[in-house]
């Protein structure tokens, strides 16, 4: 695996900056993780029962501190998505390399959480265009998977246009051994 856990890179285009999450993002991210309309789009598969609903600043800070600690332990990377036009975090991207005994062994896993008003095809596509290509090298993988619920029509359009295809395989939780569905995959060119 590359040195992503030694030095976390930044990614940006005209619209967005993706950089490592910071405690100072708490109030911005509270708008994301207390947004009940965004909650159904978050991927909490295999996350020890956490549904990523954080209704208070204190709870949001606890989550951010856990994300920072997880990065320091080499478990996953959580990037804040900054909308450059307003200078605020409007979501996060989580990425990690997955070792497992299912069809997704060795895959990179992408979790993309945004405020509900950012759950739009063109926005999601723009964020994906920043992070997918470098993730193959950063997370030592040939395939990236992401969960997209069947009701997430804007997200489905974005991932399809980007080149993801719906997988027939279940992601088997390494913690709970439950088979999770709704995964889409894209392979390195």
């Amino acid at each position: 695996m590359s040195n992503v856990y030694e030095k976390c890179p930044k990614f940006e285009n005209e619209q967005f900056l993706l950089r490592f999450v910071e405690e100072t993002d708490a109030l911005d991210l509270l708008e994301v993780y207390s947004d009940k309309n965004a909650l159904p789009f978050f991927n909490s598969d295999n996350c020890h029962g956490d549904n990523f609903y954080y209704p208070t600043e204190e709870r949001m800070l606890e989550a951010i501190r856990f994300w920072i600690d997880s990065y320091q332990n080499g478990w996953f990377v959580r990037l804040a998505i900054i909308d450059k036009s307003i200078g605020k975090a409007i979501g996060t991207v989580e990425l990690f390399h997955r070792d497992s005994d299912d069809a997704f062994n060795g895959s990179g896993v992408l979790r993309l959480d945004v405020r509900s008003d950012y759950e739009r095809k063109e926005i999601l596509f723009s964020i994906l265009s920043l992070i997918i290509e470098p993730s193959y090298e950063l997370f030592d993988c040939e395939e990236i998977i992401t969960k997209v619920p069947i009701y997430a029509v804007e997200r489905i359009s974005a991932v399809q246009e980007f080149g993801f295809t719906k997988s027939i395989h279940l992601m088997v939780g390494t913690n709970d051994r439950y088979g999770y569905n709704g995964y889409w995959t894209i392979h390195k060119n």
Side-chain angles (χ1 to χ4, degrees):
M1 210 164 316
S2 69
N3 66 352
V4 68
Y5 294 104
E6 293 173 16
K7 184 173 192 273
C8 187
K10 296 178 182 179
F11 307 94
E12 69 181 298
N13 59 22
E14 289 183 17
Q15 192 174 13
F16 297 108
L17 166 66
L18 277 58
R19 56 132 174 92
F20 190 69
V21 71
E22 303 169 354
E23 286 187 27
T24 56
D25 296 322
L27 287 178
D28 292 349
L29 291 178
L30 181 61
E31 291 183 44
V32 178
Y33 292 98
S34 66
D35 180 349
K36 291 179 182 175
N37 293 321
L39 185 62
F41 300 99
F42 300 163
N43 175 1
S44 60
D45 291 355
N46 204 42
C47 291
H48 304 282
D50 189 349
N51 67 359
F52 296 96
Y53 178 64
Y54 308 135
T56 66
E57 184 179 358
E58 179 181 323
R59 184 64 189 99
M60 188 71 250
L61 270 169
E62 286 175 20
I64 291 170
R65 289 175 183 140
F66 173 74
W67 297 340
I68 292 169
D69 186 56
S70 296
Y71 173 79
Q72 292 168 344
N73 286 304
W75 299 338
F76 60 80
V77 176
R78 183 73 71 147
L79 303 170
I81 305 166
I82 309 300
D83 181 335
K84 291 163 70 173
S85 70
I86 61 172
K88 289 181 70 169
I90 55 85
T92 67
V93 173
E94 178 183 296
L95 289 152
F96 61 93
H97 177 95
R98 183 170 194 273
D99 292 316
S100 64
D101 58 2
D102 63 11
F104 299 123
N105 181 43
S107 296
V109 178
L110 168 83
R111 291 187 169 123
L112 174 57
D113 302 339
V114 294
R115 284 187 348 210
S116 59
D117 55 328
Y118 282 80
E119 186 70 29
R120 297 198 326 258
K121 176 186 175 181
E122 64 277 1
I123 290 172
L124 299 168
F125 187 91
S126 179
I127 295 166
L128 291 171
S129 70
L130 282 169
I131 197 64
I132 294 296
E133 198 57 41
S135 291
Y136 294 116
E137 183 178 336
L138 289 172
F139 297 95
D140 191 28
C141 62
E142 298 290 317
E143 173 187 51
I144 295 171
I145 66 171
T146 192
K147 183 167 184 145
V148 183
I150 60 171
Y151 49 80
V153 293
E154 294 282 329
R155 196 170 285 237
I156 288 171
S157 292
V159 298
Q160 281 180 321
E161 185 174 315
F162 201 86
F164 282 80
T165 57
K166 191 166 177 30
S167 177
I168 60 168
H169 301 289
L170 298 177
M171 187 199 76
V172 179
T174 54
N175 296 325
D176 59 13
R177 306 304 304 159
Y178 183 82
Y180 297 98
N181 65 9
Y183 281 85
W184 291 65
T185 68
I186 191 168
H187 293 269
K188 186 176 180 180
N189 290 334

